[in-house]
């Protein structure tokens, strides 16, 4: 079966003042099947976020090919990539990235509005599913970190995407809250067959996933060590 | 995309202080443009109404080329087959005791019925005079007048009261309706002739002609005939340069407003950058983000427009009064009334505000939709990118400035090119503000470090690191300060040029009479001439005539007296230029020379009482009497050409070394006062002229103040945005151990730093602007040379303004620091 995500010999270099600079990715290769829950594990600066941005079409590789659902992102063009993010991808960030002037409900509803299916009931249900019933009318600054991240997850899940990209989703949360959030994410994705890719530097996060890919020096390798033994 | 739009619009009430500042900035720009345009419209509308009302049903008016007309030709006029009706008119100004000047008309109520029936009906109607016999006092009593109803109401006068004027008390026998709004007083023409000492004379004859061409051919020699349209066009022409400069001032004010909106939009872009990144990551299209931001811009523009419209309407009342004085002092009598409120004002203001928002927001809009979502999400403001943008902007700015300067090199460029150059310079200089902040950064850092230690150093760094906000704030403030310096230097130089001109031309010890209000009897002139100890008496006459269908002025003087006692500013040569004038040649003002391309040695043709007269031009002199041009001649030449013996004023010269000098001057004063003639010393006259000058530039000064006010809001907005965007940073300061006082000091330094850079840039730009205004715009608008008199005053004023504005702009953020700093923690939103 065709993988839902395929990355082939992808390089991402950043030039400094027109000269050769650093390379965040140096010929990365990976394949992820539909419905998998995968951790991309690596230290800070190893290129995890860069990889997620490339998968989301927010950034473009210097070399190589990124395919999502069999489509080469480069050939899709900007409009195609926007459509992909709108319809098929959900994004969860480390720092939540909720729109501060919208309530919890509105932040979730925004996702549906973008897909052209503005269904308030679905938005309410999504918030309910993440345990935020009764807090729909609160603004982000009126919510705790964990609650904000739940809103962000609801925003990502509500449109029933094929893939969810989560960049250090627990990086800004305490351990207990982080575990709750990860459990929520992973269980939902497994239930609905949504592919989940979590970028993380924490071995604890890897325990929630089926598969771990290690990022080191811009390269991706399959991690054979058991998650609890990762360091 | 309602939710996206909602997300953007909610920032407005959430950041109330900033939104208010931005709103006020837009409102100031719109108010200035609306106020200026509305008051100009009021003046022109009043002008049109007054001309229409006073013209009545006249198709033509006839007058001598210069001076009053005699009654003797009236019988012949009456018999002309083309004349359907005629009415002789005395048209003068009358100063009331409270200083207000009103228009005075002397008419024959019977002949005038065909021309101004509304007025004459009022004179003779049963309503005003229930007893028709009561109409007789108006005709028979020498000092009886009719006053327009509005003026009477304004002065609290009714029929039977007396109106106190500079020509004595006049008894009001009735009122009449006056739709033009111009204060008007009527007198029977025979009584008016006595009042103004015009025996058997009047100023003009209004005519209703059956046909034009044949009549013109019969009355071609010795008369000037104008159709009503020609007269109106002629008056309108006189205002042209003035209107042009008013328009330029309005545009300048609007430019500052548009700049502020650009400022506003840039701030919004910077604070929306992250939101834009989030939205792009969620799948929002660029167009959707653009529309949401556009909605925010248009809402601010609309609200600012409404506020600006209201402010502008009130401002127009103030400006109309200023313009009325200026037009009346410099051109012709006009008393415009401010226009009534109209909802169109609001509509136009809203359109202006929104239009200016769109214009000012184009580049920020493009910036926002092109935002790199990756950088935006990571919170990187892209300082390197900002540096690159600053360099690109500087290159563009230098290009625009070079082009603007190149335009000026065109020899025959219209004054509009001068204005375009000025705007180009302002825009170009604005674009180099970013690179200036980068280049000045190290110096600011060293200086502020010395001043305020580490917080000072950090303040300088913050200015440089936040170019997106600080560069725009600096640019707006720089433009306003440069305008203040440029306009201040121009006005100061003009004033000094005027003083120099007065020192060269107005050298009499005393001036008897007052132009347009009092004439000096020729007998008094003769009496003073023969007075023992008098060095010389200059009988000055100044009258408007037409030259090549354009209004100019002719002045008659005593060439011998002026040669002896004055030192005119000649373009070439010296007082030897008077010799040919004594023999019948003329001298022309610089304005005349430039306007008509006439130089020393050329000949000009003037239409006189005996037909055309060819006159040799002996020399050209610097003059600021009128931008339309002055032709000056000896009185003997004037009398020969125009036959007009009127004397507007006498200049009295007494030798400085005469031991009886003071007594002689006192005697002249006493004699003049005995005849009821005003007397001014030389310095009093100079003072009056300078007072007129100062009031003329009151409008310009108002615009200058508005521009500075608008820019103040810009710099305040920049500082407030800097504060609001850096809450997390302040949390870090607190964690590191900075006190609230230190952080407040940092904020103050940021304000002063921006003000300092604005000031430094504005000195160069303002000086360039001054040169442009003096050497190009004034010259091409008014055809006269203003000499550049450098002065510290505008620069010192700019320094004070920069310091006060910077302190004022920093005040609110500093207050916020003290209020919120102790509670600030490092938090994510």
């Amino acid at each position: 079966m065709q993988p839902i995500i395929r990355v082939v010999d992808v390089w991402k270099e950043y030039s400094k003042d027109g000269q050769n600079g650093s390379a965040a990715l140096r010929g990365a290769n990976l394949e992820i099947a539909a419905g998998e829950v995968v951790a991309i594990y690596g230290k800070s600066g190893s290129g995890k976020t860069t990889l997620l941005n490339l998968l989301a079409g927010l950034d473009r590789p210097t070399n190589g090919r990124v395919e999502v659902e069999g489509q080469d992102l480069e050939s899709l063009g900007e409009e195609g990539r926007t459509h992909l993010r709108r319809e098929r991808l959900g994004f969860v960030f480390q720092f939540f990235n909720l729109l501060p002037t919208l309530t919890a409900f509105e932040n979730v509803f925004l996702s549906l509005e973008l897909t052209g299916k503005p269904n308030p009931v679905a938005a309410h249900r999504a918030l309910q599913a993440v345990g935020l019933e009764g807090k729909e009318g609160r603004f982000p600054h009126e919510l705790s970190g964990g609650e904000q991240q739940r809103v962000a997850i609801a925003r990502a899940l509500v449109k029933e995407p094929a893939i969810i990209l989560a960049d250090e989703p627990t990086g800004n949360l305490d351990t207990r809250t982080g575990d709750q959030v990860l459990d929520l994410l992973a269980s939902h994705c497994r239930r609905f067959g949504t592919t989940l890719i979590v970028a993380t530097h924490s071995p604890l996060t890897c325990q929630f996933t089926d598969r771990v890919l290690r990022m080191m020096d811009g390269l991706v390798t399959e991690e054979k060590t058991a998650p609890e033994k990762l360091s | 995309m309602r939710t996206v739009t909602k997300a953007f619009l909610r920032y407005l009430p959430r950041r109330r202080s900033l939104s208010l500042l931005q709103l006020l900035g837009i409102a100031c720009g719109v108010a200035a443009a609306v106020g200026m345009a509305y008051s100009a419209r009021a003046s022109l509308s009043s002008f049109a109404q007054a001309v229409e009302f006073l013209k009545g049903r006249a198709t033509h008016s006839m007058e001598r080329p210069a001076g009053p007309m005699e009654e003797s030709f009236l019988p012949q006029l009456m018999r002309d087959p083309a004349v359907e009706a005629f009415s002789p008119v005395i048209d003068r100004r009358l100063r009331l005791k409270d200083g207000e000047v009103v228009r005075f008309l002397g008419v024959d109520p019977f002949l005038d019925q065909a021309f101004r029936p509304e007025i004459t009906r009022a004179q003779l109607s049963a309503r005003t005079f229930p007893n028709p016999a009561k109409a007789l006092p108006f005709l028979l009593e020498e000092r009886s007048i009719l006053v327009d109803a509005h003026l009477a109401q304004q002065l609290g006068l009714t029929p039977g009261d007396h109106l106190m004027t500079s020509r004595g008390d006049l008894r009001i026998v009735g009122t009449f309706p006056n739709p033009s709004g111009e204060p008007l007083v009527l007198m029977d023409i025979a009584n008016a002739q006595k009042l103004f000492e015009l025996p058997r004379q009047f100023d003009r004859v209004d005519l209703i002609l059956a046909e034009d061409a044949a009549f013109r051919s019969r009355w071609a020699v010795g008369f000037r005939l104008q159709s009503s349209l020609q007269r109106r066009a002629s008056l309108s022409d006189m205002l042209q340069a003035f209107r042009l400069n008013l328009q330029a001032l309005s545009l300048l004010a609007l430019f500052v407003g548009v700049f502020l909106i650009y400022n506003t939009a840039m701030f919004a872009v910077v604070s929306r950058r992250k939101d834009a990144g989030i939205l792009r990551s969620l799948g929002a299209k660029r167009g959707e983000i653009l529309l949401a931001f556009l909605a925010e811009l248009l809402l601010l523009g609309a609200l600012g427009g409404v506020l600006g419209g209201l402010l502008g309407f009130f401002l127009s009342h103030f400006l109309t009064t200023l313009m009325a004085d200026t037009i009346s002092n410099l051109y012709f009598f006009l008393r415009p009334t401010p226009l009534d409120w109209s909802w169109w004002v609001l509509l136009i203001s809203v359109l202006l505000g929104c239009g200016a928002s769109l214009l000012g927001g184009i580049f920020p809009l493009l910036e926002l939709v092109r935002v790199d979502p990756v950088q935006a999400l990571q919170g990187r403001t892209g300082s390197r990118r900002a540096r690159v943008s600053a360099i690109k902007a500087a290159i563009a700015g230098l290009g625009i400035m070079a082009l603007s300067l190149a335009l000026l090199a065109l020899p025959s460029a219209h004054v509009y090119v001068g204005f375009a150059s000025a705007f180009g310079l302002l825009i170009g200089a604005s674009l180099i503000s970013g690179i200036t902040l980068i280049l000045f950064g190290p110096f600011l850092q060293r200086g502020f470090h010395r001043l305020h230690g580490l917080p000072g150093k950090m303040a300088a760094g913050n200015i440089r690191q936040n170019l997106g906000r600080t560069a725009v704030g600096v640019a707006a403030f720089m433009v306003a300060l440069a305008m203040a310096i440029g306009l201040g230097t121009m006005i100061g130089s003009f004033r000094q040029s005027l003083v120099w001109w007065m020192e060269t031309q107005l050298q009499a010890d005393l001036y008897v009479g007052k132009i347009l209000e009092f004439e000096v009897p020729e007998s008094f002139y003769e009496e003073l001439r023969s007075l023992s100890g008098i060095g010389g008496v200059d009988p000055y006459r100044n009258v408007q005539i037409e030259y090549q269908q354009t209004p100019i002025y002719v002045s008659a003087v005593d060439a011998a007296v002026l040669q002896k006692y004055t030192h005119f500013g000649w373009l070439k040569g010296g007082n030897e230029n008077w010799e040919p004038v004594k023999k019948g040649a003329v001298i022309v003002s610089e304005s005349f020379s430039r306007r008509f391309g006439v130089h020393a040695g050329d000949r000009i043709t003037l239409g006189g009482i005996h037909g055309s007269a060819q006159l040799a031009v002996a020399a050209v002199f610097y003059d600021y009497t009128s931008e339309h041009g002055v032709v000056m001649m000896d009185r003997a030449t004037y009398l020969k050409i125009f036959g007009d013996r009127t004397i507007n004023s006498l200049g009295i010269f007494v030798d400085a070394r005469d031991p009886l000098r003071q007594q002689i001057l006192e005697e002249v004063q006493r004699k003049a006062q005995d005849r009821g003639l005003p007397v001014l010393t030389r310095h009093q006259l100079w003072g009056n002229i300078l007072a007129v000058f100062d009031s003329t530039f009151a409008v310009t000064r108002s615009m200058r103040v508005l521009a500075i006010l608008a820019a103040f809001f810009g710099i305040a907005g920049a500082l407030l945005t800097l504060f609001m965007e850096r809450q997390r940073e302040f949390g870090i300061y607190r964690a590191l151990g900075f006190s609230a006082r230190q952080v407040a000091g940092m904020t103050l330094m940021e304000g002063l730093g921006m003000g300092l850079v604005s000031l430094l840039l504005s000195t160069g730009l303002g000086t360039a602007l001054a040169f442009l205004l003096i050497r190009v715009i004034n010259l091409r608008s008014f055809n006269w040379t203003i000499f550049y008199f450098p002065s510290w005053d505008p620069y010192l004023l700019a320094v004070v303004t920069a310091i006060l504005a910077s302190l004022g702009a920093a005040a609110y953020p500093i207050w916020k620091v003290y209020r919120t700093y102790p509670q600030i923690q490092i938090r994510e939103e």
Side-chain angles (χ1 to χ4, degrees):
Chain A
M1 200 154 82
Q2 200 179 1
I4 198 167
I5 284 174
R6 179 186 282 157
V7 172
V8 180
D9 192 28
V10 160
W11 289 74
K12 180 65 187 178
E13 286 169 337
Y14 297 100
S15 69
K16 190 174 178 179
D17 299 331
Q19 296 177 357
N20 288 336
S22 56
L25 297 174
R26 298 167 191 271
N29 291 278
L30 63 86
E31 285 184 5
I32 297 171
E36 277 197 286
V37 178
V38 178
I40 297 179
Y41 169 70
K43 285 189 247 188
S44 279
S46 58
K48 306 186 296 296
T49 302
T50 305
L51 180 61
L52 287 193
N53 286 334
L54 289 172
L55 294 178
L58 288 171
D59 204 354
R60 288 153 78 180
T62 317
N63 270 314
R65 201 166 72 246
V66 177
E67 290 175 8
V68 176
E69 292 188 311
Q71 295 178 94
D72 181 0
L73 291 192
E74 190 61 32
S75 65
L76 278 181
E78 185 54 45
E79 203 168 318
R81 289 192 288 271
T82 301
H83 181 81
L84 184 78
R85 284 195 296 277
R86 183 182 282 230
E87 304 282 343
R88 307 297 292 158
L89 289 178
F91 222 123
V92 180
F93 302 92
Q94 180 181 359
F95 294 109
F96 327 134
N97 282 341
L98 299 177
L99 290 172
T101 52
L102 296 179
T103 61
F105 168 79
E106 286 165 343
N107 266 286
V108 174
F109 186 70
L110 175 63
S111 249
L112 293 172
E113 226 180 19
L114 283 168
T115 61
K117 297 169 203 159
N119 182 353
V121 173
H124 279 293
R125 248 193 240 132
L127 281 169
Q128 201 177 13
V130 298
L132 287 178
E133 195 175 357
K135 295 187 180 177
E136 294 91 340
R138 293 201 188 174
F139 286 95
H141 68 272
E142 294 169 328
L143 299 168
S144 69
E147 287 170 338
Q148 287 186 59
Q149 194 62 297
R150 285 168 188 268
V151 175
I153 290 169
R155 181 176 66 183
L157 294 176
V158 74
K159 56 184 172 183
E160 295 169 3
I163 303 162
I164 288 184
L165 305 170
D167 188 4
E168 306 269 14
T170 60
N172 220 31
L173 303 171
D174 62 86
T175 311
R176 186 161 163 262
T177 312
D179 286 349
Q180 285 172 349
V181 161
L182 281 169
D183 186 46
L184 180 64
L185 248 183
S187 58
H188 180 95
C189 288
R190 286 193 179 103
R191 195 175 335 134
F192 290 97
T194 308
T195 306
L196 173 63
I197 302 166
V198 183
T200 183
H201 67 271
S202 164
L204 296 172
T205 304
C206 298
Q207 293 175 10
F208 289 86
T209 61
D210 304 324
R211 191 175 153 212
V212 178
L213 299 171
R214 186 187 272 264
M215 273 211 74
M216 197 188 298
D217 299 331
L219 289 167
V220 181
T221 51
E222 196 74 33
E223 182 57 55
K224 301 272 193 302
T225 313
E228 55 273 19
K229 291 195 174 131
L230 287 169
S231 62
Chain B
M1 277 302 307
R2 281 176 28 202
T3 310
V4 174
T5 308
K6 213 190 297 185
F8 274 32
L9 288 179
R10 280 199 188 145
Y11 274 108
L12 295 177
R14 186 172 272 217
R15 294 178 171 180
R16 279 186 294 277
S17 321
L18 187 62
S19 301
L20 186 64
L21 275 173
Q22 291 164 349
L23 205 67
L24 286 172
I26 295 169
C28 272
V30 171
V34 166
M36 187 65 85
Y38 212 52
S39 54
R41 194 155 167 261
S43 301
L44 294 174
S45 166
S46 293
F47 157 73
Q49 272 184 314
V51 167
E52 272 310 300
F53 177 71
L54 290 170
K55 167 184 86 74
R57 292 175 188 175
T59 60
H60 294 74
S61 69
M62 190 161 116
E63 50 197 341
R64 286 292 190 190
M69 311 175 79
E70 321 76 45
E71 287 178 356
S72 54
F73 75 93
L74 282 179
Q76 191 186 348
L77 187 70
M78 233 186 309
R79 288 192 295 270
D80 193 292
V83 174
E84 289 184 359
F86 73 94
S87 174
V89 178
I90 289 175
D91 188 350
R92 297 283 166 118
R93 292 189 202 185
L94 188 65
R95 187 175 290 273
L96 306 184
K97 268 279 154 60
D98 65 2
E100 193 186 344
V101 176
V102 300
R103 188 185 285 272
F104 175 100
L105 281 188
V107 296
D108 181 314
F110 302 101
L111 292 174
D112 208 62
Q113 276 191 80
F115 293 83
R116 285 159 280 263
E118 311 86 4
I119 300 176
T120 47
R121 217 176 283 140
Q123 295 168 33
L124 304 170
S125 76
R127 252 190 317 179
T128 311
F129 298 94
N131 182 349
K134 283 191 177 174
L136 287 176
F138 177 77
L139 299 169
L140 301 178
E141 269 183 35
E142 266 187 29
R143 300 184 78 82
S144 65
I145 54 171
L146 295 178
V147 169
D148 89 73
H150 182 77
L151 176 64
Q153 190 188 18
Q154 199 185 318
L155 298 173
L157 297 172
T158 54
D161 291 340
H162 282 84
L163 182 69
M164 296 192 288
T165 76
S166 53
R167 289 193 178 261
D169 293 354
L170 304 172
R171 195 170 86 91
I172 300 170
V173 296
T175 61
F176 60 92
N178 178 4
S180 76
E182 187 175 0
L184 188 57
V185 166
L186 286 182
M187 185 182 260
D188 176 76
I189 193 167
N191 296 330
Q193 285 171 328
K194 286 180 192 148
L195 186 69
F196 283 93
E197 294 175 41
L198 293 168
R200 307 184 68 78
Q201 291 178 320
F202 41 85
D203 290 322
R204 70 171 191 269
V205 179
D206 286 345
L207 299 163
I208 298 176
L209 295 182
E211 51 81 40
D212 180 287
F215 182 85
R216 280 184 191 271
S217 64
R218 287 191 288 275
W219 295 89
V221 175
F223 294 96
R224 191 171 86 194
L225 184 70
Q226 271 186 322
S227 69
S228 301
L229 273 171
Q230 278 175 319
R231 184 170 170 76
R232 186 173 163 171
S234 165
L235 290 172
S236 181
D237 278 347
M238 293 187 76
L239 285 181
Q240 201 182 350
F242 180 67
R243 260 206 309 268
L244 185 64
N245 280 277
L246 281 184
Q247 277 167 6
L249 276 178
S250 306
L251 285 175
L252 212 54
L254 193 60
F255 170 72
V256 176
V258 167
F259 206 87
L260 260 193
I261 291 159
Y262 170 76
N263 206 14
T264 301
M266 277 309 293
F267 293 150
V269 163
V270 166
S271 55
R272 302 289 183 279
R273 204 187 288 272
K274 190 174 177 191
D275 289 1
I278 295 168
L279 286 166
R280 297 276 284 117
S281 73
L282 293 176
K285 290 183 189 170
R286 291 186 209 271
E288 285 158 344
I289 298 170
L290 187 144
L291 283 174
F293 191 53
L294 201 61
E296 185 183 337
L297 274 183
L298 288 176
L299 182 64
L300 263 179
L303 290 173
V306 167
L307 187 61
L310 291 169
L311 286 172
F313 175 72
F314 289 114
L315 180 66
S316 73
H317 279 246
F318 167 68
L319 289 175
T320 303
T321 311
L322 290 180
M323 276 190 214
D325 291 338
T326 303
I327 296 172
S328 296
N329 283 327
L330 300 182
Y331 301 101
F332 47 78
F333 187 76
L334 186 67
R335 270 282 165 268
T337 43
L339 293 174
D340 290 331
W341 169 258
S342 162
W343 291 106
W344 283 104
V345 173
L346 267 188
L347 181 65
I348 289 165
S349 302
V350 166
L351 288 173
L352 208 58
C354 291
S357 289
L358 284 175
L359 198 65
I362 285 175
F363 290 113
L365 267 173
L366 292 174
E367 162 88 24
L368 189 68
V369 297
R370 285 201 301 248
V371 77
D372 184 331
V374 172
Q375 289 211 346
L377 286 170
Q378 289 168 352
R380 274 190 259 145
T381 53
S383 61
R384 192 184 309 149
R385 193 160 156 253
R387 192 189 180 95
V388 168
S389 299
I391 293 170
K392 282 185 189 165
I395 292 169
L398 288 170
I400 292 172
M401 288 168 84
L403 185 66
S404 303
L405 292 171
L407 278 177
L408 292 175
L410 295 172
S412 56
H414 195 275
V415 66
Y416 284 126
V417 172
F419 284 123
S421 282
F423 280 112
L425 275 180
L426 290 174
I427 293 167
S430 307
L431 293 171
I432 65 171
S433 59
I435 200 75
T436 309
L437 282 170
I438 292 170
L439 294 171
F440 263 92
F443 301 104
L444 267 181
Q445 250 180 342
R446 280 200 284 274
F448 281 4
H449 192 209
R450 279 211 188 118
L451 224 70
H452 198 52
L454 184 60
K457 188 177 169 188
M458 288 171 73
N462 290 336
I463 293 172
R464 203 172 147 185
Q465 285 302 113
N466 294 285
L467 275 183
R469 301 156 188 77
T470 55
V472 183
V474 162
F477 200 40
M478 172 201 66
V479 164
L481 287 175
M483 267 176 59
I485 291 171
L487 287 173
T489 305
M490 186 272 289
I491 294 172
S493 292
F494 199 168
R495 204 172 196 274
Q496 279 305 112
S497 301
L498 195 64
V499 169
W500 167 82
W501 169 76
M502 290 191 296
E503 285 172 355
T504 59
Q505 252 191 53
L506 304 178
Q507 282 297 306
D509 296 299
L510 290 176
Y511 289 91
V512 178
K514 202 168 186 185
I515 294 172
L516 297 174
E517 288 180 38
F518 282 96
E519 284 154 16
V520 179
E522 202 171 1
S523 57
F524 188 54
Y525 164 52
E526 297 298 340
E527 184 186 335
L528 289 181
R529 268 175 91 180
S530 57
L531 205 63
S532 166
I534 292 284
V537 181
D538 173 37
Y540 180 70
R541 169 63 170 152
N542 190 50
V543 64
Q544 190 198 321
I545 67 164
E546 282 219 336
Y547 178 77
Q548 295 181 2
Q549 290 166 341
T550 311
I552 64 156
Y553 284 90
V554 164
S555 296
V557 295
D558 187 324
V561 170
L562 293 188
Q563 185 181 34
K564 186 176 174 189
Y565 288 102
T566 66
H567 298 277
F568 268 39
W570 304 101
L571 267 71
K572 269 192 199 147
N575 269 11
E576 70 277 5
N577 287 325
W578 286 111
E579 287 303 322
V581 179
K582 287 193 275 191
K583 292 173 193 156
V586 298
I587 53 175
V588 300
S589 69
E590 183 196 11
S591 305
F592 184 93
S593 170
R594 286 185 183 276
R595 207 163 177 213
F596 298 104
V598 170
H599 309 285
D602 292 343
R603 296 185 82 82
I604 60 170
T605 305
L606 298 180
I609 199 169
H610 304 296
S612 300
Q614 278 235 335
L615 300 156
V617 176
V620 182
F621 64 101
Y622 291 108
D623 183 80
Y624 301 111
T625 312
S626 166
E627 80 260 27
H628 302 289
V630 175
V631 174
M632 192 176 277
M633 60 186 69
D634 187 75
R635 182 172 169 79
T637 311
Y638 180 79
L639 288 173
K640 208 164 39 172
I641 296 172
F642 297 107
D644 169 30
R645 306 199 75 85
T646 311
I647 298 171
N648 289 125
S649 73
L650 296 176
I652 312 296
F653 298 85
V654 177
D655 278 327
R657 290 159 300 190
D658 193 323
L660 297 172
R661 182 185 149 78
Q662 195 52 41
Q663 280 151 281
I664 296 165
L665 291 173
E666 281 168 10
E667 193 182 348
V668 169
Q669 273 184 307
R670 192 181 43 78
K671 283 180 183 292
Q673 277 154 8
D674 285 346
R675 284 177 178 254
L677 291 169
V679 182
L680 293 173
T681 63
R682 175 171 67 224
H683 293 287
Q684 282 174 327
L685 178 66
W686 289 6
N688 288 353
I689 292 170
L690 288 174
V692 168
F693 175 88
D694 289 338
S695 82
T696 303
F697 280 98
V699 173
T700 313
R701 278 196 291 273
S702 310
M703 288 298 108
R704 218 171 61 180
V705 167
L706 263 176
I708 289 177
L709 211 60
F712 164 77
F713 292 128
I715 210 168
L719 285 175
L720 193 59
T721 307
L722 270 175
F723 168 80
M724 289 164 81
E725 296 288 313
R726 288 154 58 202
Q727 296 290 293
R728 186 167 183 269
E729 205 174 307
F730 286 162
I732 295 168
Y733 294 153
R734 186 161 175 267
L736 291 172
F738 277 83
S739 66
R741 188 165 169 270
Q742 284 176 310
V743 174
M746 196 188 309
T747 306
L748 180 65
M749 292 281 117
E750 284 165 8
L752 283 175
M754 286 169 66
L756 182 64
V757 175
S758 304
L759 179 65
L760 287 170
L761 283 174
S762 69
T763 49
L765 181 64
T767 308
L769 207 59
F771 265 108
L772 202 62
L773 287 168
I774 290 169
R775 294 280 189 220
V776 179
I777 290 174
N778 239 288
L779 190 61
R780 292 180 190 175
S781 294
F782 298 109
N783 291 308
W784 55 39
T785 298
I786 297 175
F787 300 101
Y788 177 59
F789 284 93
S791 163
W792 286 114
D793 287 350
Y795 297 94
L796 287 173
L797 191 62
V799 169
V800 170
T801 306
I803 293 170
L804 289 177
S806 304
L807 289 175
Y812 183 66
I814 289 172
W815 177 75
K816 289 279 275 184
V817 165
Y818 274 109
R819 210 170 74 108
T820 61
Y821 188 69
Q823 295 86 29
I824 286 176
Q825 296 170 33
I826 305 171
R827 292 178 66 86
E828 295 301 330
E829 272 194 328

